[in-house]
Amino acid sequence: MAEFARDHGSRGTRVVLITSGGTKVPLESRTVRFLDNFSSGRRGSASAEYFLRAGYAVIFLHRHRSMYPYSRRYTSHNWLDTLRLVPSSDASGHQVQVQQSQLPDIVRVLQEYSSMKESGRLLPVEFNTLSDYLHLLQAAAQAFSPLGSNAMFYLAAAVSDFYIPASEMPEHKIQSSSGPLQITMKMVPKMLSPLVKEWAPKAFVISFKLETDPSILIERARKALATYSHQVVVANVLDSRRSYVVVVTNTDEANLSVSEEEERLGVEIEEKIIEDIVTRHTSFIGNLDEKSNASKN
Ligand code: 9Z3
């Protein structure tokens, strides 16, 4: 991650760390059971594509097997159904052919995927457990510190708020013969605080706020901004997260939505989120430059 950040940073390319997917919290050290959450990784993987289109270099810190940029469009496909055998003169007597009609939009998606690969602007990094995630986020944040305001954090992963410390976890499988299960979980330390204050204080930081009750959404988003003093909270409600979000800053609230008509045409809310965020990042960099020029003069 440090090498990737250095390489792209030295060329003046903006670099974004996207976190994506849910986290797994083990209940036993030889884990049979764990606490998980709903996140599919669609927000993060779709956002990665739009950031790449906008010219950013992307570290995609994602949950193992959650959605991945480009291939995410085909996750509901059984790939065996997209292939067919045709007779050939090979030793096996067959060759494998792709049934292109089974893969909607594949030519465009493959073109974009190939050109992105060639550009070397996507670095995928995987996590599985909550503890992997916390360590990798810290490492990424430290790798980003030389980038100053060209660095962005886009924290879309759904990270557990609760965990069981290793010292309090039973080693072996919890026995059902012991009766109903009662567990006490500790609070996960909030990484946003050291990230903003210590690890990458010049970076542009976006966190996500998820609620199921729309009536408390904006108040919770504002509270997060006040607590962590970062730049943006993207607020969303579980059921409507694909079609509606609010981009909340200290001075502003922007409602972004995708209409039914746009949805039919294949417009995704992430395209609108990234357009909005990139504009804000540009003015953030501009404002910092102005401030540093003013202090030099
Ligand atoms: C989000 O709110 C993301 O938008 C979603 C995306 C996880 C809802 P999917 O992966 O869903 O496309 O299925 N992410 C952050 C959620 C979160 O846990 N935020 C915490 C909070 O709200 C802390 S920043 O308290």
Side-chain angles (χ1 to χ4, degrees), residues 185-200:
M185 303 185 89
K186 294 245 153 75
M187 296 301 296
V188 171
K190 292 287 182 196
M191 302 296 270
L192 208 46
S193 205
L195 191 149
V196 172
K197 293 197 177 88
E198 295 161 38
W199 301 335

Side-chain angles (χ1 to χ4, degrees), residues 204 218 221-222 225 230-234 246-254 276-277 280:
F204 189 63
I218 302 301
R222 293 225 160 272
L225 274 183
H230 58 305
Q231 287 70 39
V232 180
V233 175
V234 179
V246 189
V247 180
V248 184
T249 71
N250 267 332
T251 51
D252 178 28
E253 238 174 75
D276 178 286
I277 296 290
R280 291 179 197 275

Side-chain angles (χ1 to χ4, degrees), residues 38-43 156-159 208-210 236 241-242:
F38 68 93
S39 171
S40 64
R42 181 168 146 178
R43 173 83 79 229
V159 181
F208 279 70
K209 175 56 71 184
L210 174 74
N236 55 177
R241 69 190 192 277
R242 305 269 176 252

Side-chain angles (χ1 to χ4, degrees), residues 172-188:
H172 292 288
K173 182 180 168 228
I174 300 167
Q175 294 299 317
S176 59
S177 55
S178 317
L181 178 62
Q182 279 197 347
I183 45 176
T184 307
M185 303 185 89
K186 294 245 153 75
M187 296 301 296
V188 171

